[in-house]
């Protein structure tokens, strides 16, 4: 028997949740074929079979929380599904016994990642059911995709990265961990590893920092005019959609340079000042909020940042983020405005010491040169750790963001 164990999942990650078994007990498995999906608080990992054989036992069921190194199943090396099924079949009435198959039959797996029936079962394929499904749906040959998995295996993430048009893979459905109560008026469901870790992280942030928020508002007229004038041309010539986020990313990078304590970190009794901007952008994914990081955003043009952000946001929504995508952030921007939020107080992405909150752009009457005009206005919020960032620095940082957004041409000469 070959044990199936939870592999190392990345720095500081010690547990995961069984998201979905891709094989049933008794199914034949090929070497490097994916057996089970594990969901951590950051990414989803496929665990492959290191040897060909039959999945003889599932020790953990979907929804169970497991630790790194824990045994979750076993493979009977060298066995086939037909041989494994021979013993129970012998006790069936002879009149009902089907003729023996000429080749080992593969039992069907009722999952969304099921392989096409026409796929040959000879050899040892190095692709998972999810990879083969994407190959059929998108018409992409896995052999032509750069592989990042162990032993040269093409992973689901590799395939998703090769898909030109955005296509979100449906998340596996989960049954409630307990039946409904009070005649169906309530349902109890166990929290996923990711949701539980998000909750723990937010509580840690609140308890470990001197959390404070300052607000301002910004006139979006100038940025909106630039965006409207250039949006179609940039999309046509560069294939990039010009959103508001690159303007705020550029403004934030310049403001962080002027106020370095906002981009710093407390480490014990020391302060670590970071001479780079690794910008985290909060993204609402299927399984909860994630914050992928665009590295060295301060060295990028707005077009380069748009490309990098588009790529990492797509990986987030497709569940194909890597650990590198999620680590190393020094400052975070979150945009509740896309959901209609008018004003909020974002929670720090600890151990970072500040986070910028963007909100809905709304036409409001404002006084301009002693006249009332209707302008597209946005509230900005900067939450910060008062242990390191003084109120004066926080206010001036937010004022600098406001100045740059209201005069975007100034960002070109900074």
């Amino acid at each position: 028997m070959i044990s199936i164990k939870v592999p190392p999942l990345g720095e500081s990650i010690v547990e995961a949740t069984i998201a979905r078994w891709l094989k049933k007990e008794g199914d034949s498995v090929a070497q490097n074929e994916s057996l089970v999906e594990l969901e951590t608080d950051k990414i989803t990992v496929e665990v492959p079979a290191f040897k060909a054989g039959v999945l003889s036992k599932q020790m953990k069921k979907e929804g169970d929380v497991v630790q790194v190194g824990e045994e979750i199943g076993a493979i009977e090396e060298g066995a086939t599904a037909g041989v494994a099924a021979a013993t129970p079949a012998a006790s069936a009435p002879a009149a009902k016994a089907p003729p023996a198959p000429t080749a080992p039959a593969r039992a069907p797996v009722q999952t969304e990642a099921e392989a096409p029936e026409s796929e040959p079962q000879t050899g040892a394929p190095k692709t998972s059911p999810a990879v083969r499904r994407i190959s059929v749906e998108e018409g992409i040959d896995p052999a032509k995709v750069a592989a990042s998995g162990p032993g040269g295996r093409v992973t689901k993430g590799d395939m998703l990265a090769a898909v030109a048009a955005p296509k979100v893979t449906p998340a596996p459905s989960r049954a409630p961990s307990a039946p409904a109560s009070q005649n169906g008026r309530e349902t109890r469901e166990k929290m996923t590893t990711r949701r539980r870790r998000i909750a723990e992280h937010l509580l840690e942030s609140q308890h470990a920092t001197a959390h404070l928020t300052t607000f301002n508002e910004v006139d979006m007229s100038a940025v909106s005019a630039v965006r409207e004038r250039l949006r179609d041309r940039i999309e046509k010539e560069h294939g990039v959609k010009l959103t508001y986020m690159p303007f705020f990313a550029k403004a934030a990078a310049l403001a962080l340079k002027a106020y370095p304590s906002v981009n710093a970190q407390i480490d014990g009794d020391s302060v670590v000042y970071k001479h780079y901007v690794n910008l985290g952008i909060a993204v609402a994914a299927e399984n909860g909020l994630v914050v992928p990081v665009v590295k060295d955003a301060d060295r990028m043009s707005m077009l380069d940042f748009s490309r990098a952000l588009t790529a990492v946001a797509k990986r987030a929504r497709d569940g194909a983020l890597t650990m590198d995508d999620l680590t190393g952030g020094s400052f975070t921007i979150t945009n509740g405005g896309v959901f209609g939020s008018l004003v909020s107080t974002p929670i720090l992405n600890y151990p970072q010491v500040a986070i910028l909150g963007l909100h809905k752009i709304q036409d409001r009457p404002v006084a301009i040169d002693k006249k009332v005009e209707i302008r597209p206005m946005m509230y900005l919020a900067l939450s910060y750790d008062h242990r390191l960032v003084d109120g004066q620095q926080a206010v001036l940082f937010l004022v600098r963001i406001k100045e740059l957004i209201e005069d975007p041409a100034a960002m070109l000469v900074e």
Side-chain angles (χ1 to χ4, degrees), residues 50-128:
F50 293 105
K51 296 287 185 179
V54 168
L55 180 61
S56 59
K57 190 173 184 180
Q58 294 178 358
M59 299 177 183
K60 298 292 181 179
K61 62 180 183 297
E62 294 179 2
D64 284 352
V65 176
V66 293
Q67 307 295 314
V68 171
E70 184 175 355
E71 188 174 9
I72 59 176
I75 293 175
E76 186 177 348
E77 184 180 2
T80 65
V83 172
T87 301
S91 62
K96 300 292 184 179
T102 57
R106 179 186 173 204
V109 183
Q110 299 301 321
T111 70
E112 61 173 305
E114 183 171 349
E117 292 182 3
S118 59
E119 179 168 327
Q121 296 301 311
T122 57
K126 292 188 177 182
T127 56
S128 69

Side-chain angles (χ1 to χ4, degrees), residues 198-213 345-352 355 383-385 387:
I198 289 173
E200 293 170 354
H201 186 67
L202 293 177
L203 283 175
E204 180 185 25
S205 178
Q206 289 282 53
H207 293 159
T209 65
H211 196 280
L212 194 63
T213 304
T345 56
I347 296 179
L348 296 176
N349 187 14
Y350 185 78
Q352 297 173 26
I355 180 171
S383 292
Y384 58 99
D385 189 344
R387 296 179 303 160

Side-chain angles (χ1 to χ4, degrees), residues 332-345:
T332 295
I333 298 178
T334 179
N335 185 8
V338 296
F339 305 110
S341 173
L342 187 61
V343 65
S344 66
T345 56

Side-chain angles (χ1 to χ4, degrees), residues 163-374:
V163 177
K167 186 177 183 66
V168 180
T169 303
S173 59
R174 294 188 181 88
S177 57
S181 63
Q182 295 190 9
N183 298 321
R185 295 179 62 187
E186 293 181 359
T187 300
R188 181 182 296 270
E189 182 174 308
K190 191 173 183 180
M191 293 175 72
T192 65
T193 298
R194 180 171 299 172
R195 174 51 58 188
R196 191 173 68 254
R197 181 55 184 146
I198 289 173
E200 293 170 354
H201 186 67
L202 293 177
L203 283 175
E204 180 185 25
S205 178
Q206 289 282 53
H207 293 159
T209 65
H211 196 280
L212 194 63
T213 304
T214 186
F215 300 91
N216 211 318
E217 64 176 353
V218 58
D219 185 344
M220 296 293 291
S221 299
V223 164
S224 295
V226 171
R227 180 172 173 266
E228 287 299 317
R229 187 170 71 252
L230 299 178
R231 179 172 55 183
D232 292 342
R233 193 181 83 186
I234 287 177
E235 185 168 1
K236 180 179 179 180
E237 294 180 0
H238 300 278
V240 174
K241 290 185 178 180
L242 185 61
T243 66
Y244 290 106
M245 186 59 75
F247 293 94
F248 281 100
K250 185 68 173 179
L254 293 172
L256 290 169
K257 183 178 180 180
Y259 301 97
S261 64
V262 184
N263 194 45
Q265 180 179 326
I266 295 176
D267 184 14
D269 59 357
S270 300
V271 178
V272 180
Y273 291 96
K274 300 177 180 180
H275 307 297
Y276 55 86
V277 177
N278 287 350
L279 193 57
I281 305 294
V283 176
E286 183 79 20
N287 296 324
L289 186 73
V290 291
V291 187
V293 178
V294 177
K295 304 293 177 63
D296 293 318
D298 54 320
R299 300 182 183 180
M300 295 181 177
S301 68
M302 282 194 277
L303 283 180
D304 288 338
F305 178 83
S306 293
R307 293 189 187 96
L309 178 59
T310 298
V312 76
K314 183 180 184 301
R315 292 198 295 275
R317 296 188 178 97
D318 289 343
L321 288 171
T322 65
M323 286 303 300
D324 185 61
D325 289 328
L326 294 162
T327 55
S330 63
F331 183 78
T332 295
I333 298 178
T334 179
N335 185 8
V338 296
F339 305 110
S341 173
L342 187 61
V343 65
S344 66
T345 56
I347 296 179
L348 296 176
N349 187 14
Y350 185 78
Q352 297 173 26
V353 298
I355 180 171
L356 177 66
L358 311 182
H359 299 91
K360 180 182 179 181
I361 300 173
Q362 187 177 63
D363 287 344
R364 292 199 296 271
V366 292
I368 305 293
D369 296 329
K370 297 185 179 181
K371 296 180 180 178
V372 176
E373 296 185 14
I374 304 299

